[in-house]
Amino acid sequence: MTAKTNLARTRLDERLATLRTRRDQLAVPRGGWAKAIRSALGMTLADLAASMGITRGVLSRLEGSEQKQTIQLDSLQRLADAMDCDLVYALVPREPLQAMVERQRDRAARELEARTRTHMRLEDQDEKDPSLADWRKEHSASLISDRRLWKNWKKRK
């Protein structure tokens, strides 16, 4: 892992920590953010559509596409601008990035250890050597680079 990558990961973890802890507060309202804010402002479809220079039907379809999660970001930005709102877009990891990397590195190291044990068995070496697990824990970061860490990765639940 490069120092630059580690620093970037640490900084992102710090920035995202607040969002991760407030995820429930950021849940999209049932009808979508645009409709919720428009309604809370007391704006009708006609009011907002006129301010955007579109028809009520087009605005209704935009609100519907937001609700279905098929709206394009540029359309959502136009809606936000028309209601004097900022569009905030973020990917919020479910856990700290560092924890994700450590879990993936451990998985990759276990796979490497399993392959090593297989080779040891084939060569009639003692496969019960506990020092191999200790060695894996100590050296996995240097053996498995960040670039190789996600190669052939599949999300496992």
Side-chain angles (χ1 to χ4, degrees), residues 85-98:
C85 294
D86 290 321
L87 173 63
V88 178
Y89 174 84
L91 300 176
V92 182
R94 293 182 182 105
E95 64 180 328
L97 297 169
Q98 188 61 38

Side-chain angles (χ1 to χ4, degrees), residues 28 31-32 60-76 79:
V28 178
S60 181
R61 284 192 295 280
L62 285 173
E63 286 184 354
S65 67
E66 183 201 0
Q67 186 176 11
K68 292 184 284 189
Q69 298 180 352
T70 58
I71 194 167
Q72 293 184 0
L73 286 175
D74 62 338
S75 298
L76 198 54
L79 277 168

